[in-house]
Amino acid sequence: MIIKPRTRGFICLTSHPEGTLQNIKNQIDYVKSKGKIKNGPKKVLVIGASTGFGIASRITAAFGSDAATIGVFFEKPAAEGKPGTAGWYNSAAFEKEAHASGLYAKSINGDAFSDEIKKQTIDLIKKDLGQIDLVVYSLASPRRTHPKTGVNYASVLKPIGQPFTNKTVDFHTGVVSDITINPVDNDEDIQNTIAVMGGEDWKFWMEDLKEAGVLAEGVKTVAYSYIGPELTYPIYRNGTIGKAKDDLEATVTTINKLLKDLNGISYVSVNKALVTQSSSAIPVVPLYISLLYKVMKQKGIHEGCIEQMQRLFAESLYSGEKISLDEKGRIRIDDLEMREDVQKEVAALWEQATTQVKKYWQIQLLHHKEDIAFKSISKSKWEDQKLAGDTLKSVQRT
Ligand code: NAD
Ligand code: NA
């Protein structure tokens, strides 16, 4: 199955849920409040640009560094009375704000894994920007059609070796219960997951961009990874998805060789756990995230995607100083999440976690506009939920 690329322009802006526009505006205001990023990127391609870390990277480049941006994503516009996906509205809102500020911003909606979308993107760069100086790779997908073989790969989220039993939260009801996830019983599931979420597609993008001559001298590229605490190791870092992240991280060496004659460089940034469409799909992890948010907020060190990306650009990628890397060569902006005092308190809460968490979790859903609860939400529903959220918040305070 080949997914048909869709490149229709954005439709009627007035039909967008107000909440999405406000969320994008808030992110823009945050980036502006931090001041201009000196020597920041000027012409940027973001692959996976519509939600989570991708849209936050795009906003940071545009409003922190006046960058022209091209965003590639896979989203559905509204059709026949059905609302579009959250990422569609995010991107429409972003483009509206970017254009109002006189910034170049165009988007390509289609399958980023395909050769066709890579070609369309390259043509657009050639036509409008000439060359780009930053490529952000922020794709997260459960499946991939391989562009050379046509094989469909589906990723799995499973432990390797032994079954894993731990607590999980039902995202819709907020109920906490035990879950046992059986390990993969064949190497194929591991290989499939690597094929979807590993580094091959990032490498393909960089190869194609280089061959087309659209990468500027000194180009940078960054992809995102995750490590997390030991309690999620069996399902995340030591599980099938962790193998894919190992592969992504190893791709840095390959891409660095490719970019050497351009004086280009590639990085993996290990980001903090955040509620996004992709992280919500992993068992156990959402409960960990809700406890993590609670602890980090109490300590005044909570960050969302935008705070993370602004910090990555301003203090790491474009700080003008030598970028500090961990022993495996990775940028670490999960430093606050992994702080010993934070992890100790999360572990203690984990022991106590019962459906008591329910209320807290619901508040998270209502207050984190990036998350899937806000997918396709209508304005009136948004207001209802916001009201409910305020009520819950006051309950929690007492
Ligand atoms: P997300 O689901 O919010 O965003 C995924 C993006 O990929 C969207 O823009 C979507 O449209 C796009 N996409 C998916 N399939 C596509 C396709 N076939 N063609 C074109 N676009 C496609 O995900 P996220 O949480 O922002 O994750 C981005 C990266 O950050 C991933 O590598 C993820 O592992 C990593 N990361 C996430 C977390 C977390 O807790 N959320 C933490 C650390 C690192
Ligand atoms: Na993203």
Side-chain angles (χ1 to χ4, degrees):
M1 178 203 69
I2 303 288
I3 299 160
K4 271 218 192 100
R6 273 173 283 172
T7 50
R8 270 176 269 159
F10 291 121
I11 44 142
C12 183
L13 278 163
T14 52
S15 72
H16 299 146
E18 212 117 293
T20 304
L21 181 60
Q22 193 54 51
N23 172 23
I24 296 298
K25 280 185 176 164
N26 291 347
Q27 293 193 48
I28 292 170
D29 288 347
Y30 175 79
V31 168
K32 283 185 177 167
S33 79
K34 302 301 274 187
K36 287 283 174 227
I37 298 162
K38 282 192 211 100
N39 306 310
K42 287 293 162 228
K43 294 175 182 179
V44 180
L45 170 63
V46 182
I47 302 155
S50 53
T51 55
F53 288 111
I55 186 86
S57 304
R58 192 175 190 187
I59 290 170
T60 302
F63 291 92
S65 181
D66 297 324
T69 59
I70 292 175
V72 180
F73 48 75
F74 195 37
E75 302 290 350
K76 277 202 184 77
E80 289 148 31
K82 272 198 219 141
T85 51
W88 176 266
Y89 294 115
N90 279 344
S91 302
F94 169 84
E95 283 202 8
K96 182 176 179 246
E97 294 299 310
H99 295 158
S101 298
L103 295 168
Y104 173 96
K106 282 189 187 173
S107 303
I108 292 179
N109 188 19
D111 181 11
F113 295 127
S114 69
D115 285 343
E116 168 59 22
I117 287 296
K118 290 181 176 74
K119 192 181 169 300
Q120 274 189 34
T121 307
I122 286 165
D123 290 346
L124 185 62
I125 297 168
K126 278 186 180 163
K127 183 165 84 68
D128 288 356
L129 304 178
Q131 289 186 324
I132 49 176
D133 53 66
L134 173 66
V135 179
V136 175
Y137 189 82
S138 188
L139 273 195
S141 172
R143 63 194 72 85
R144 169 180 177 221
T145 302
H146 197 283
K148 316 294 174 197
T149 62
V151 174
N152 291 308
Y153 294 101
S155 66
V156 301
L157 293 164
K158 285 188 180 174
I160 297 169
Q162 300 103 328
F164 174 53
T165 300
N166 216 318
K167 294 175 189 179
T168 197
V169 63
D170 180 318
F171 178 70
H172 298 287
T173 62
V175 172
V176 177
S177 60
D178 277 341
I179 185 173
T180 296
I181 311 141
N182 286 323
V184 282
D185 49 19
N186 56 54
D187 189 56
E188 209 185 313
D189 279 341
I190 300 173
Q191 295 313 319
N192 289 349
T193 308
I194 293 172
V196 179
M197 287 296 284
E200 189 185 45
D201 183 61
W202 184 25
K203 188 188 80 170
F204 282 176
W205 268 102
M206 297 312 295
E207 284 173 351
D208 288 5
L209 291 164
K210 186 183 177 197
E211 199 183 300
V214 296
L215 296 178
E217 170 81 17
V219 66
K220 287 184 180 170
T221 183
V222 64
Y224 301 137
S225 191
Y226 183 64
I227 298 175
E230 275 177 42
L231 86 92
T232 63
Y233 275 5
I235 187 68
Y236 199 95
R237 196 63 211 209
N238 293 340
T240 49
I241 180 71
K243 294 293 171 211
K245 289 302 185 190
D246 290 345
D247 184 76
L248 180 82
E249 290 170 13
T251 305
V252 163
T253 314
T254 314
I255 296 179
N256 279 343
K257 277 187 204 136
L258 180 78
L259 299 182
K260 202 161 177 224
D261 56 332
L262 290 171
N263 288 313
I265 188 150
S266 71
Y267 295 101
V268 159
S269 171
V270 179
N271 302 347
K272 152 183 204 269
L274 277 158
V275 178
T276 66
Q277 299 188 37
S278 12
S279 67
S280 305
I282 308 169
V284 184
V285 169
L287 178 59
Y288 163 74
I289 295 181
S290 83
L291 300 176
L292 178 73
Y293 275 25
K294 185 172 183 152
V295 170
M296 292 185 82
K297 281 183 180 172
Q298 272 165 2
K299 291 180 181 289
I301 55 170
H302 175 74
E303 293 175 302
C305 288
I306 196 66
E307 288 86 356
Q308 282 265 294
M309 294 300 98
Q310 200 283 334
R311 190 151 72 93
L312 172 67
F313 279 55
E315 294 177 21
S316 193
L317 288 178
Y318 295 99
S319 67
E321 283 154 37
K322 193 168 179 288
I323 297 178
S324 80
L325 304 172
D326 72 5
E327 75 290 350
K328 289 190 170 162
R330 305 169 292 202
I331 295 171
R332 299 295 295 266
I333 55 167
D334 64 339
D335 49 347
L336 300 175
E337 169 181 357
M338 298 315 291
R339 231 166 65 177
E340 206 183 314
D341 59 319
V342 171
Q343 285 303 322
K344 245 187 162 159
E345 287 181 39
V346 172
L349 287 175
W350 188 266
E351 287 311 309
Q352 298 161 23
T354 61
T355 27
Q356 286 303 314
V357 182
K358 179 174 176 176
K359 241 178 229 151
Y360 183 78
W361 179 246
Q362 284 172 339
I363 292 163
Q364 292 311 316
L365 295 186
L366 294 164
H367 290 265
H368 288 275
K369 294 156 196 158
E370 281 285 341
D371 74 43
I372 62 176
F374 284 85
K375 219 173 150 179
S376 324
I377 216 160
S378 72
K379 193 186 164 197
S380 64
K381 211 161 168 203
W382 162 275
E383 276 163 0
D384 286 347
Q385 299 224 5
K386 197 166 158 290
L387 269 179
D390 290 339
T391 314
L392 276 174
K393 208 160 71 183
S394 58
V395 169
Q396 197 212 17
R397 270 202 218 96
T398 56

